[in-house]
Amino acid sequence: MAHKIFLLDAYALIFRSYYAFIRNPRVNSKGLNTSAIFGFVNTLEEVLRKEEFSHIAVVFDPPGPTFRNEMYPDYKIQREATPEDIKKAVPYIKKILDAYNINVVEKEGYEADDVIGTMSKTAAKQDFEVYMMTSDKDYMQLVDDKIYMYKPRRAGQNANMVLKTLDVLKKFNIKSTDQVIDILALWGDSSDNVPGAPGVGEKTSQKLISEFGSVENLLNNTDKLKGKQKEKIEDNKDQIVLSKKLVTIDRDVPLDIDLGDLKYTKPDKDKLKSLFDELEFNALSQRLFGEPAKPTFAQQTLFGDNNEQEKQDASDASGKQNIETEKPEYILADTAYLRKELIKFLNKVDAFAFDTETTGVNPHKAKLSGMSFSAKRGKAWYVMMPEDEDDKKKVTAEFKGVLEDTDKMKIGQNIKYDILMMRQYGIDVKGRLFDTMIAHYLLHPELRHNMDYMADTLLNYQPISLESLIGKKGKNQKKITDIPVEKVKDYAAEDADITLQLKETLEPQLKKEKLDDLFYDVEMPLVYVLSDMEFVGVHLDTKQLEKLTDKLKKELNAIENDIYEMSGQEFNINSPKQLGEVLFDKLKITDKPPKTKTKQYSTSEETLQKLSDKHPVIQKILEYRSVKKLLSTYVEALPKLINEKTGRIHTSFNQTVAATGRLSSNNPNLQNIPIREERGREIRKAFCATNDDYLFLSADYSQIELRLMAHMSGDEHMKAAFKNNEDVHAATAAKIFKKDIRDVSGTERSKAKTANFGIIYGISAFGLSQRLNIPRKEAKTLIDEYFENFPVVKKYMDKSIEKARDNGYVETLMGRKRYLPDIDSRNATVRGMAERNAINAPLQGSAADIIKVAMINIYNRIIDEGLKARMNLQVHDELNFECPVDEKDKLAEIVKYEMENAVHLSVPLTVELGTGKNWLEAH
């Protein structure tokens, strides 16, 4: 047999396996979701069983950023965090691969496709036939005479697909597989946030590269293009060039791998059997090892004998309800008479589901194309909008009465969007709310909350997909207004109908879990507050940012030159490889250079921080990275996000992202703007009042989580410090170091402060030693002294962990639950993280709940008292307002009172207030 090597893209197969079971996850008797592990093993077994090969390896993406992130900080920035169940699955998969005697390969700073690209190139030179097992289209650029792409079969297919050179050339109508890079560069990739060329989809990119041969040739011959296409290509040359760099797989990754070491040998059956028993893969164990099967906790399989997956798919298809099986009554209200009949009906009911169809996802820019309503299961109406905007306003005005009726509950999925949409048309939605997305989030904070997922898992229903109406993203994608109205009617009316059904399912669950008060009294009123904040937006001083851009670019250039001078040569500071060689080979800053698992020099931020006292160049490198990030992420990016119509930035606040209950923000994320460094603070200076008649007011809770620790633990020493308005960190230092508070030194106070906040997060002696840069033994002594002087705090922490073990979750003061399935994990690292969350989640979650209550009360007071001031920013424990100068004192009084009295604790809540022309001055 000729040398044949299989290179498996680990995460591509793991994610595929995980999502194959997303409707019916495999869960063992210990509560571990084994879907990804089981699917991966079955995929691997199919290769081992059916393919003839001599060598094999599985390649993983490493944790942390890669060279692409340094090249383009927004690379993959919009990707959701890896599901917890996949994070838990990976260590098991690596153990299983070890038992199979299959090598695991990963390289810090490089993605799996770069490593596979490099290994493929090396193997082909050594006369191997290479099979890259993945479904990622990017790999097609690597295919050549000896390198093939091996796509795992989908359900319903009989075989895996092998793509060779001719297959790729035919698919894209190109002459060389290298041109796949050019096509991807123009096409872009929304999943990786590769920008590509605006308005150019798959077909257009193929056509352009077929005509011009390459991106470079296209950019040199834009005079041959016409109209908007010419304009878009020319206006985005730099972006296209960057995109090509991002999508190009690096085939020269520095790897210390001998292909001979990847020769496949027989697995260690005892190790495998032990792992399969632990995971309860009993049927698989029986098939592989011939032992009797034991009863299983879950019976789904991904691949296996007798086409089990096809049977499962058939079962899913026949058992899943949809519009065809249910035959609902969906009415098109396309005349004035039918709209009047609908409004008559809505006036008779106490609650109705409501949804909008729009031309885009940004409620500040999109136009309304329709509204749907449902108040009875299986029945809904779709109100189609006329094309003219003035006519739309006339139609929407007909519904003003019912939508603004305070006695009627409005039910929606992400209803904040619909509220903002209607506000564009002069309607202020009022009344009690029921948001199905937020209800599901409170019940299952760790799951997804989109309507399709909930319909599938809660109602066994498969809704009409938007993609089935308008097609996939690209040039040929249609607008919702281009679709026949009958189809849009079914799609839109179904959304309202399913939302109503979800409400009926979720409402009793909220009551059962005692989350109904938190839902109705906090989260639902907050929707109105956030929609108002988003509508108001915040003014941005672009001239201030332009000045800051110039200043930071000059500083960056100066820092760059300092680094070259200190290191004695010019090099690519953004390249981990080149930087490592300069620091550890040339400058020899340490006798024992830190290395990654793959034996390459480590130049991560954490590594450089530890070595910062070894050579002055390291501080310069850290400073360089910091300035570069400020420029790309904030200073240059923020002006591009200003809404042309309002001249303001309108961020989106999210209630269903953070498991702790904290709000997050995106488009842009205004909660991550740096505040500790002077350069970062300068960014806040750009957030300012509209004109001289207005000012910024900023209010910040003082040490709210420490105050919550004092209240929730009941520790009298901590409570006394806050009640007496003492410096709590100095008071803590006095207790730990057994001194009078007046004799505490600045260093001792600083150590106590770090300990105070560290304890909240369950910090270890190692963690504290790292933060304070002291020996671990000294850090342990500090923690021991802390607990000796605050024994009630230690008791509270232990009790929190105990509660988590007993219940599987911990709670905030207002009953918000944080589920901790890993609290009994055998993995000490995983279990430790769950224990830290058990301590911190009630504190951080309670702080989040408290500021939400304050926001609601302040919002209501501002309206009730007829003030022009408006809340416009929330950053964790801080609220920001824009207000007329003559309302400053009144607003300050309201804000301080409502924040300090949002709840009543055994220690006072205190708020620090400031005002100024901009956010920086106010804060």
Side-chain angles (χ1 to χ4, degrees):
M1 181 182 70
H3 283 316
K4 186 187 290 187
I5 186 169
F6 265 74
L7 301 174
L8 280 61
D9 181 349
Y11 278 104
L13 300 176
I14 290 168
F15 272 87
R16 173 180 176 273
S17 301
Y18 174 74
Y19 284 109
F21 289 112
I22 200 68
R23 294 179 181 177
N24 297 292
R26 284 185 60 96
V27 181
N28 68 13
S29 59
K30 301 178 189 72
L32 175 69
N33 184 326
T34 60
S35 303
I37 311 168
F38 188 79
F40 182 90
V41 172
N42 273 288
T43 304
L44 178 63
E45 268 297 318
E46 183 164 294
V47 172
L48 300 178
R49 206 168 57 241
K50 293 185 177 180
E51 302 297 338
E52 292 186 3
F53 58 88
S54 54
H55 296 67
I56 188 170
V58 178
V59 184
F60 283 77
D61 291 310
T66 69
F67 71 93
R68 290 183 179 85
N69 297 101
E70 296 184 358
M71 185 190 304
Y72 180 54
D74 286 347
Y75 181 65
K76 293 189 177 181
I77 197 170
Q78 86 298 347
R79 280 203 178 180
E80 293 183 5
T82 302
E84 277 299 315
D85 290 327
I86 288 182
K87 289 181 181 178
K88 294 175 194 172
V90 169
Y92 282 104
I93 290 170
K94 288 184 175 178
K95 286 180 186 177
I96 288 168
L97 289 168
D98 178 62
Y100 269 109
N101 288 316
I102 293 173
N103 283 67
V104 167
V105 182
E106 64 182 42
K107 173 71 174 175
E108 185 183 27
Y110 296 91
E111 295 180 71
D113 51 4
D114 300 309
V115 175
I116 289 177
T118 302
M119 293 174 73
S120 299
K121 176 182 168 183
T122 303
K125 283 181 180 177
Q126 296 181 25
D127 213 28
F128 278 82
E129 283 188 1
V130 184
Y131 289 81
M132 306 176 297
M133 188 169 188
T134 183
S135 54
D136 186 344
K137 65 181 183 298
D138 291 7
Y139 282 80
M140 293 185 193
Q141 64 186 270
L142 301 171
V143 173
D144 69 11
D145 292 344
K146 290 184 179 178
I147 302 173
Y148 318 125
M149 187 168 163
Y150 185 93
K151 294 180 71 174
R153 70 182 175 90
R154 294 178 180 175
Q157 294 178 335
N158 294 321
N160 301 301
M161 182 188 297
V162 177
L163 293 177
K164 298 188 177 182
T165 302
L166 286 175
D167 300 310
V168 177
L169 300 184
K170 186 177 178 182
K171 174 178 175 61
F172 291 112
N173 189 27
I174 50 180
K175 295 177 181 177
S176 165
T177 54
D178 284 342
Q179 290 176 301
V180 171
I181 301 170
D182 298 280
I183 288 171
L184 295 175
L186 293 174
W187 183 0
D189 188 336
S190 58
S191 65
D192 288 348
N193 203 34
V194 175
V200 175
E202 180 180 3
K203 298 297 181 187
T204 305
S205 60
Q206 288 181 35
K207 183 181 175 184
L208 288 170
I209 296 307
S210 178
E211 181 180 349
F212 290 95
S214 70
V215 159
E216 291 76 11
N217 199 37
L218 168 65
L219 297 180
N220 289 332
N221 290 278
T222 53
D223 56 312
K224 295 178 182 177
L225 302 175
K226 295 179 181 179
K228 284 192 175 180
Q229 187 179 80
K230 179 177 186 291
E231 183 182 324
K232 285 183 177 179
I233 297 291
E234 288 182 341
D235 288 349
N236 292 278
K237 281 187 176 183
D238 291 344
Q239 181 172 301
I240 294 166
V241 171
L242 170 66
S243 296
K244 182 165 182 177
K245 289 177 183 176
L246 291 172
V247 300
T248 300
I249 292 175
D250 189 341
R251 306 181 201 191
D252 294 301
V253 176
L255 296 174
D256 185 19
I257 294 171
D258 185 339
L259 293 180
D261 294 339
L262 306 182
K263 190 173 178 64
Y264 180 60
T265 57
K266 290 183 179 179
D268 183 326
K269 288 189 177 181
D270 290 338
K271 270 189 184 179
L272 269 184
K273 179 74 169 56
S274 175
L275 284 165
F276 288 172
D277 285 349
E278 180 184 349
L279 294 164
E280 299 174 13
F281 290 174
N282 301 308
L284 179 62
S285 188
Q286 181 191 32
R287 193 177 77 207
L288 295 183
F289 307 117
E291 296 187 10
K294 302 169 188 174
T296 58
F297 189 77
Q299 294 292 333
Q300 299 89 348
T301 57
L302 178 60
F303 296 119
D305 299 333
N306 304 318
N307 294 320
E308 288 173 309
Q309 179 62 43
E310 284 85 344
K311 289 180 183 177
Q312 181 67 45
D313 287 346
S315 170
D316 285 348
S318 60
K320 196 67 62 182
Q321 298 166 339
N322 56 40
I323 196 168
E324 297 300 325
T325 60
E326 294 301 285
K327 305 292 184 189
E329 183 185 358
Y330 293 158
I331 301 161
L332 178 63
D334 57 351
T335 66
Y337 171 76
L338 287 172
R339 291 196 299 270
K340 284 180 182 176
E341 291 300 303
L342 168 58
I343 291 165
K344 279 183 190 176
F345 174 77
L346 294 175
N347 274 318
K348 294 176 183 176
V349 298
D350 296 325
F352 58 83
F354 162 60
D355 188 40
T356 57
E357 295 305 323
T358 64
T359 58
V361 295
N362 186 329
H364 309 285
K365 293 181 179 179
K367 303 296 182 187
L368 192 66
S369 53
M371 301 185 294
S372 52
F373 299 87
S374 179
K376 182 181 178 184
R377 186 186 183 98
K379 186 172 184 177
W381 290 261
Y382 177 62
V383 180
M384 182 176 65
M385 289 290 128
E387 289 187 18
D388 182 77
E389 283 298 303
D390 289 334
D391 291 339
K392 282 181 189 177
K393 287 177 182 176
K394 290 174 184 176
V395 172
T396 53
E398 296 173 15
F399 292 84
K400 188 176 177 71
V402 290
L403 288 171
E404 293 188 351
D405 189 333
T406 55
D407 292 331
K408 296 186 186 302
M409 174 184 275
K410 317 303 185 300
I411 304 158
Q413 165 75 7
N414 188 20
I415 201 167
K416 173 159 64 71
Y417 178 90
D418 305 298
I419 291 170
L420 281 165
M421 215 47 239
M422 297 316 298
R423 195 157 173 178
Q424 301 285 353
Y425 289 85
I427 295 175
D428 286 324
V429 175
K430 294 173 185 173
R432 296 179 78 211
L433 300 176
F434 192 105
D435 190 314
T436 51
M437 179 177 75
I438 297 172
H440 190 258
Y441 160 76
L442 287 184
L443 289 161
H444 307 286
E446 74 287 353
L447 297 181
R448 292 181 293 155
H449 315 294
N450 63 70
M451 195 192 78
D452 286 0
Y453 175 77
M454 288 191 282
D456 187 358
T457 55
L458 299 178
L459 305 177
N460 194 38
Y461 187 91
Q462 186 173 353
I464 302 165
S465 71
L466 181 60
E467 193 174 276
S468 69
L469 287 184
I470 64 175
K472 293 183 178 179
K473 185 180 178 183
K475 185 181 177 182
N476 295 325
Q477 189 180 58
K478 298 175 182 176
K479 296 177 182 176
I480 197 82
T481 49
D482 298 331
I483 308 302
V485 70
E486 276 297 317
K487 287 189 175 182
V488 176
K489 178 258 295 181
D490 286 345
Y491 168 78
E494 182 187 67
D495 276 359
D497 179 19
I498 295 303
T499 299
L500 180 72
Q501 293 183 43
L502 287 171
K503 185 258 185 184
E504 292 169 351
T505 302
L506 292 165
E507 191 171 36
Q509 291 182 25
L510 288 171
K511 192 168 185 179
K512 181 183 176 185
E513 296 297 326
K514 297 180 180 177
L515 290 165
D516 46 341
D517 286 346
L518 178 65
F519 178 75
Y520 288 117
D521 298 341
V522 179
E523 296 292 354
M524 289 302 95
L526 187 68
V527 172
Y528 283 123
V529 180
L530 297 179
S531 66
D532 191 69
M533 290 170 69
E534 291 179 22
F535 183 81
V536 169
V538 60
H539 185 68
L540 199 69
D541 184 347
T542 53
K543 289 182 180 178
Q544 159 66 16
L545 289 178
E546 285 171 9
K547 289 178 188 174
L548 190 53
T549 299
D550 292 339
K551 180 184 174 186
L552 291 181
K553 281 183 175 178
K554 286 175 184 175
E555 289 182 13
L556 195 65
N557 190 51
I559 296 166
E560 195 174 55
N561 290 330
D562 287 344
I563 292 170
Y564 294 155
E565 189 176 333
M566 288 178 179
S567 56
Q569 71 178 76
E570 291 191 11
F571 64 99
N572 183 357
I573 301 169
N574 302 310
S575 164
K577 180 177 183 293
Q578 291 184 35
L579 180 59
E581 289 169 353
V582 168
L583 293 178
F584 304 118
D585 289 340
K586 182 177 180 181
L587 298 179
K588 299 185 184 300
I589 64 170
T590 178
D591 295 333
K592 295 180 180 179
K595 292 191 175 182
T596 65
K597 291 179 183 177
T598 53
K599 309 301 180 186
Q600 302 302 309
Y601 290 135
S602 172
T603 59
S604 67
E605 182 126 350
E606 184 182 356
T607 298
L608 294 184
Q609 288 285 5
K610 291 177 186 175
L611 298 170
S612 58
D613 61 341
K614 299 293 184 183
H615 196 287
V617 75
I618 296 185
Q619 283 294 355
K620 285 291 178 183
I621 291 163
L622 290 168
E623 188 180 7
Y624 173 88
R625 288 180 177 177
S626 174
V627 174
K628 193 168 185 187
K629 183 178 179 181
L630 281 179
L631 263 172
S632 60
T633 309
Y634 302 107
V635 183
E636 294 177 326
L638 284 170
K640 298 172 185 174
L641 298 170
I642 294 174
N643 185 294
E644 292 178 6
K645 187 167 65 175
T646 65
R648 299 166 78 87
I649 279 185
H650 301 268
T651 189
S652 179
F653 290 99
N654 310 306
Q655 289 172 264
T656 61
V657 173
T660 57
R662 272 187 167 187
L663 294 173
S664 67
S665 87
N666 66 325
N667 297 324
N669 182 353
L670 299 181
Q671 298 192 329
N672 276 354
I673 293 177
I675 187 61
R676 290 177 183 170
E677 296 176 6
E678 186 179 343
R679 291 187 184 106
R681 287 195 289 271
E682 285 294 304
I683 297 171
R684 290 196 172 199
K685 199 172 181 180
F687 290 81
C688 59
T690 307
N691 55 49
D692 292 340
D693 295 329
Y694 284 77
L695 51 76
F696 236 74
L697 185 145
S698 184
D700 200 349
Y701 276 119
S702 172
Q703 302 167 337
I704 187 170
E705 290 182 20
L706 284 178
R707 292 171 190 271
L708 282 165
M709 174 64 92
H711 170 78
M712 294 169 82
S713 69
D715 189 282
E716 292 301 330
H717 296 303
M718 287 186 80
K719 286 164 67 174
F722 285 120
K723 286 178 180 177
N724 298 330
N725 200 27
E726 294 176 359
D727 177 338
V728 70
H729 302 310
T732 300
K735 294 290 293 181
I736 293 174
F737 298 109
K738 298 177 174 58
K739 289 185 174 184
D740 187 283
I741 193 169
R742 291 169 293 186
D743 298 328
V744 169
S745 70
T747 301
E748 288 167 337
R749 182 189 181 279
S750 178
K751 287 181 178 180
K753 180 179 179 180
T754 303
N756 267 329
F757 287 112
I759 294 300
I760 286 179
Y761 291 93
I763 199 168
S764 64
F766 174 75
L768 189 59
S769 71
Q770 293 290 303
R771 285 198 198 178
L772 292 175
N773 198 22
I774 58 175
R776 195 183 302 188
K777 187 176 180 181
E778 186 181 336
K780 184 179 184 303
T781 302
L782 192 62
I783 290 175
D784 290 344
E785 289 285 344
Y786 187 101
F787 286 138
E788 185 181 321
N789 286 282
F790 298 98
V792 180
V793 171
K794 182 69 169 75
K795 188 177 178 182
Y796 165 78
M797 292 167 68
D798 292 340
K799 194 172 181 181
S800 294
I801 294 170
E802 187 183 326
K803 280 183 180 177
R805 288 212 166 91
D806 290 343
N807 303 324
Y809 61 84
V810 288
E811 289 181 295
T812 67
L813 290 175
M814 296 183 190
R816 183 185 303 277
K817 295 180 180 179
R818 175 76 186 273
Y819 294 92
L820 299 166
D822 295 328
I823 197 70
D824 291 314
S825 172
R826 294 181 185 178
N827 183 309
T829 303
V830 172
R831 184 177 64 253
M833 178 63 76
E835 289 173 351
R836 286 191 290 277
N837 283 333
I839 297 163
N840 177 247
L843 301 169
Q844 197 175 91
S846 293
D849 292 342
I850 288 168
I851 200 164
K852 286 177 178 179
V853 170
M855 290 168 73
I856 295 163
N857 293 342
I858 292 167
Y859 171 79
N860 289 334
R861 287 274 309 271
I862 287 173
I863 291 173
D864 291 346
E865 301 193 25
L867 301 184
K868 293 179 182 177
R870 284 293 180 267
M871 195 185 318
N872 59 1
L873 285 175
Q874 190 265 14
V875 181
H876 304 315
D877 304 331
E878 173 191 345
L879 296 179
N880 292 281
F881 304 79
E882 188 176 3
C883 76
V885 174
D886 60 2
E887 289 183 1
K888 180 183 76 169
D889 294 340
K890 182 62 180 175
L891 179 65
E893 178 193 327
I894 290 171
V895 170
K896 187 173 177 63
Y897 178 84
E898 296 301 345
M899 288 181 75
E900 291 183 345
N901 291 277
V903 294
H904 294 289
L905 305 178
S906 56
V907 294
L909 284 175
T910 61
V911 171
E912 295 171 356
L913 283 165
T915 59
K917 294 177 183 178
N918 56 59
W919 190 2
L920 180 63
E921 280 187 20
H923 193 267

